[in-house]
Amino acid sequence: MKRFALIGKKLGHSYSQQYFDGLFKELGLSDHSYRLHEMASLESLRDWIREEGICGFNVTVPYKQAIVPLLDSLDPVAETVGAVNCVTVEGDVLTGHNTDAPAFLKTLGEERWNRALILGTGGAAQAVAYALRKLGVAYTFVSRKQKEGMAIGYGELRSFDFSHPTLIVNATPVGMFPDTERSPWPCPEVLNGHCMVYDLTYNPSPTLLMRQAAAQGAKTKDGLEMLHLQAALSWELYKR
């Protein structure tokens, strides 16, 4: 049996197992399995891999950045982003990859934005920032923790000029199942038709943030397409 998994602290929101179960069934891979594995910490990571015979695994909140020092190597994208959402296992060698960034980039299609706001500064936010740099889009992080001036605070959004086209990406877990009646955005009244709100959350959809944005005339998009694309890219790495 070839075993694959998703690790994170809380995984009740995840559709990853559903995606891979469907993929394995479609491909006739009855000797492949994928499961969700909640970890309180990463201390026993290598023991778990060895004991369970894990061939590869995905990584989600809150470990996309924390796992980096525990790996043997990173691919160029993961090294640049500083975050990992996919790990390939070859014997005792763990290699970190980032399929979030190319997946996010692909979901933007032909749409182009001059500027963006990224809510959060974690692993998903860093992948989004990498993709936006590839497109030459200027971006600003929005965070409760303003580290050395790297981000603006949420309180500053009320005075932000939204008269120009602005892409707003929620890369935080706020609003994700089961905490569905929360939004990371404190002032929905400032949003308008110039805005595109892209919430990386896909469970639920629409999120409260998306509903609030739509009520103000903004375009909205959830993260389900990105989930499927990053999973498909992970599978290409696993089957090598």
Side-chain angles (χ1 to χ4, degrees):
M1 178 68 72
K2 292 190 174 182
R3 295 183 171 88
F4 302 88
L6 170 70
I7 66 168
K9 189 162 280 189
K10 295 181 180 180
L11 301 175
H13 68 282
S14 178
Y15 290 172
S16 291
Q17 183 171 2
Q18 182 178 321
Y19 174 87
F20 278 100
D21 283 349
L23 176 66
F24 294 156
K25 183 177 181 179
E26 179 184 337
L27 296 176
L29 299 174
S30 57
D31 61 340
H32 287 49
S33 71
Y34 192 99
R35 68 188 182 95
L36 308 181
H37 185 77
E38 295 186 346
M39 286 185 168
S41 76
L42 294 175
E43 290 181 10
S44 60
L45 178 68
R46 287 184 181 264
D47 290 338
W48 167 74
I49 293 169
R50 184 172 56 254
E51 291 167 6
E52 295 294 325
I54 300 298
C55 300
F57 60 96
N58 294 102
V59 184
T60 191
V61 179
Y63 298 134
K64 291 185 180 185
Q65 292 172 304
I67 198 171
V68 170
L70 305 179
L71 303 176
D72 299 295
S73 63
L74 301 176
D75 75 6
V77 177
E79 187 168 10
T80 302
V81 172
V84 163
N85 72 296
C86 174
V87 177
T88 51
V89 181
E90 297 180 76
D92 293 328
V93 178
L94 307 182
T95 303
H97 309 267
N98 192 296
T99 64
D100 280 338
F104 175 78
L105 185 60
K106 192 170 183 178
T107 64
L108 293 179
E110 297 302 314
E111 289 203 68
R112 293 294 179 263
W113 304 86
N114 293 324
R115 63 179 189 168
L117 294 173
I118 305 173
L119 311 187
T121 57
Q126 299 304 323
V128 168
Y130 173 93
L132 294 177
R133 287 197 299 272
K134 286 285 186 181
L135 294 175
V137 178
Y139 59 85
T140 302
F141 289 109
V142 184
S143 176
R144 289 172 299 174
K145 300 176 181 178
Q146 298 173 54
K147 302 175 184 176
E148 300 177 359
M150 70 175 289
I152 64 172
Y154 283 91
E156 296 176 62
L157 294 174
R158 292 183 186 279
S159 57
F160 197 84
D161 181 6
F162 290 102
S163 63
H164 304 283
T166 306
L167 174 64
I168 300 164
V169 184
N170 178 30
T172 79
V174 178
M176 183 172 67
F177 178 86
D179 197 12
T180 59
E181 289 308 308
R182 290 183 63 209
S183 168
W185 193 268
C187 46
E189 68 278 3
V190 303
L191 300 174
N192 56 48
H194 296 293
C195 303
M196 166 72 170
V197 174
Y198 189 151
D199 197 333
L200 300 191
T201 297
Y202 54 84
N203 181 11
S205 183
T207 60
L208 177 57
L209 170 59
M210 291 170 66
R211 299 197 305 270
Q212 290 174 332
Q216 298 300 123
K219 297 178 183 178
T220 63
K221 181 177 178 62
D222 68 21
L224 189 59
E225 182 187 10
M226 179 177 165
L227 170 75
H228 288 167
L229 286 171
Q230 67 81 18
L233 291 170
S234 295
W235 173 240
E236 291 300 315
L237 294 167
Y238 295 151
K239 70 180 185 179
R240 285 180 181 176

